[in-house]
Each structure stands twice: as C-alpha cells, then as structure tokens.
Amino acid sequence: ATYRVISNVGPRFTLADVAKEIGLAPATLLQRFGSKKGLILAVLSSGGGAGEDPFAAIRENADGPLDAVFAYGDCFAQMAPSPEVLANHLAFLQMDLTDPDMHELALAQAKWTRSLFRKLLDEAVAAGELKESTDTVKLATAIQSMQGGSLLSWAILREGTARRFLRRDLETLIEPYRLVRRRRGEGGR
C-alpha cells in the first residue's frame, strides 16, 4: 500500500494517505513504524514493496540467462507506467542520496542488482549466449546504469512505452557481446 501511495503521490505523502489506502487509522501506522521515515525504511528494506524476491520468479520463468536480464529490465520498467509516476520515484531518489539510512539501503540494493547481472552474464557466457571475451563486470555496471538513464530518457522523449524503450536500449547495449548464431544449412561458414 505504501509503494502504491509513493508511486501516486511522491514524497509528500502522509501516514494518513497510506492508512486510507489500507483501511487503518494513521495512529496504527505511527505506532508500528514510529514515523513516516520509519515506514519508508520498512518499505525499502522489503525490496520496494515487492514482497518476496521478484527476481527468483523472473529467473525461474526465463528461457536462459540473457532472457532473464531482459525480463528484469521489463520488471524495472514497470516503475514507470507514466512519466508522472517515474517523477515521484525520482523524488524519492533524492532522499536515497541524502539520508544516510536510506542511502545504506539503496547502496545494498544497487550492489545486489549489479552482482545479479554479473551472475547472469557469467551464465550467459558459459551457455554460449555471449562471447567468452565479455567483461561481465563492466557489462553488468553498464546495464545497471543504462536502465536508470533509459527510463529518464523515455520520460522526456515519451516514445512508446517505458518497457519497449528500455528493452531497445538494452538490446543495443548487449548486441555487440552476443555470439553470432549459425542458421541451419550454413555449415562451417
């Protein structure tokens, strides 16, 4: 409920907004979390309101490691159903960068995400989806950086959906590292 309110209202939300969303008295939230910041930290600690690790399901349903990278990008793009919602999330990013408690959680999430991409890219190299010469550390960092930048560009340019915009950028970034697949009948060419 807090994540939905954050998406719709941004950092100016109140405990009363969240309480209304879930049908509780604001005092109940105050008693449980101590403050608005306490509630925000609880949401950030839970992975942004996603509940269980959303990546486990993404990886389980993916056809391969590269498919999982693209599926993660699709999931990331859901943060931006509209430029206005993305703006609300970006307003919270300011808090992540300036508040030490929030920054600690944002840093842990960023490191986890980068290690996740590296693991998938290593798997993609092992599976023959990417060239053996691929520097998976650098590519994982580039993917992570590109995703945030891609959503910002989409919000400004407003071309298609955030998902398609981000996926196109991810395809452009990964393409030089892919192994060229031989078509049937090409033999050894």
Side-chain angles (χ1 to χ4, degrees):
T2 303
Y3 189 78
R4 285 191 304 274
V5 171
I6 287 170
S7 293
N8 293 324
V9 179
R12 63 188 178 277
F13 83 92
T14 65
L15 290 176
D17 294 329
V18 176
K20 181 179 178 184
E21 179 75 15
I22 53 180
L24 294 174
T28 304
L29 293 175
L30 187 60
Q31 182 180 20
R32 171 69 173 90
F33 298 103
S35 65
K36 177 179 166 179
K37 180 180 175 181
L39 176 61
I40 293 169
L41 289 172
V43 170
L44 292 175
S45 295
S46 72
E52 295 179 25
D53 174 12
F55 190 74
I58 289 171
R59 182 64 179 102
E60 187 175 309
N61 293 320
D63 290 334
L66 274 185
D67 188 48
V69 170
F70 283 98
Y72 186 91
D74 293 345
C75 183
F76 187 76
Q78 290 177 9
M79 182 186 343
S82 71
E84 295 78 18
V85 169
L86 181 61
N88 288 333
H89 288 289
L90 291 174
F92 269 95
L93 177 61
Q94 291 177 345
M95 295 166 63
D96 288 344
L97 297 175
T98 58
D99 181 280
D101 296 326
M102 290 182 194
H103 179 259
E104 183 179 332
L105 293 170
L107 178 61
Q109 177 67 30
K111 286 180 176 181
W112 178 84
T113 301
R114 185 172 38 187
S115 70
L116 179 76
F117 284 139
R118 171 141 190 235
K119 180 177 185 278
L120 288 171
L121 295 170
D122 286 341
E123 290 176 18
V125 168
E129 294 180 324
L130 294 176
K131 297 174 184 176
E132 285 187 31
S133 61
T134 301
D135 184 334
T136 58
V137 173
K138 288 181 180 177
L139 186 54
T141 300
I143 290 170
Q144 186 176 26
S145 298
M146 182 277 317
Q147 284 187 330
S150 186
L151 285 185
L152 283 174
S153 293
W154 168 79
I156 293 167
L157 297 170
R158 300 180 186 193
E159 297 171 352
T161 65
R163 179 186 173 274
R164 275 189 276 186
F165 198 96
L166 192 150
R167 184 169 272 262
R168 183 202 64 211
D169 287 351
L170 187 54
E171 287 171 353
T172 300
L173 180 62
I174 289 177
E175 186 59 34
Y177 301 96
R178 286 185 189 258
L179 283 175
V180 177
R181 302 246 189 252
R182 290 185 192 157
R183 289 187 228 152
R184 291 179 194 233
E186 282 188 333
R189 288 192 266 167

